[in-house]
Amino acid sequence: CLRNTAKGMKGRALTGKYDYEQNPDLGARGKLRAGRFYESLDQMIGDKPFLAGDAISAADIDAFIFCEFTQWIKVQMPDDCKNVARWHAAMKERPSAKL
């Protein structure tokens, strides 16, 4: 989504040494996919404190980055994703999240 919508990525829709123009349709599809992933993430988290067990893991770090990154592409967490909202608020309180 970002590579196909951000002004700073104009002509750089794909990584690598060759330039590729942005495709607005792919940007829109990326936003849709991000919104839908929130729904899946909400189910994965459930009422657990962490995604994959009793302690923070790479899964939590990746999901946290996803939640932060969606702000860049202007995708908001759906209001009904209460599990993600609770989990994300707890993750933001960790000292490492403040870097």
Side-chain angles (χ1 to χ4, degrees), residues 32-58:
L32 180 63
R33 290 183 70 206
R36 288 183 175 161
F37 182 70
Y38 267 116
E39 297 167 9
S40 297
L41 188 58
D42 197 67
Q43 292 175 9
M44 287 187 265
I45 293 172
D47 61 356
K48 303 182 307 249
F50 300 103
L51 271 164
D54 296 329
I56 191 169
S57 70

Side-chain angles (χ1 to χ4, degrees), residues 3-78:
R3 292 194 79 93
N4 281 287
T5 59
K7 291 176 186 173
M9 296 284 181
K10 188 166 177 60
R12 297 296 301 152
L14 295 174
T15 60
K17 69 179 192 174
Y18 300 106
D19 292 340
Y20 293 93
E21 290 305 315
Q22 293 174 317
N23 182 328
D25 291 337
L26 291 177
R29 182 176 71 180
K31 284 185 178 188
L32 180 63
R33 290 183 70 206
R36 288 183 175 161
F37 182 70
Y38 267 116
E39 297 167 9
S40 297
L41 188 58
D42 197 67
Q43 292 175 9
M44 287 187 265
I45 293 172
D47 61 356
K48 303 182 307 249
F50 300 103
L51 271 164
D54 296 329
I56 191 169
S57 70
D60 295 286
I61 295 166
D62 287 348
F64 181 74
I65 292 168
F66 165 80
C67 292
E68 295 293 298
F69 186 77
T70 58
Q71 296 171 29
W72 292 8
I73 60 171
K74 312 256 186 304
V75 171
Q76 298 300 312
M77 181 186 310

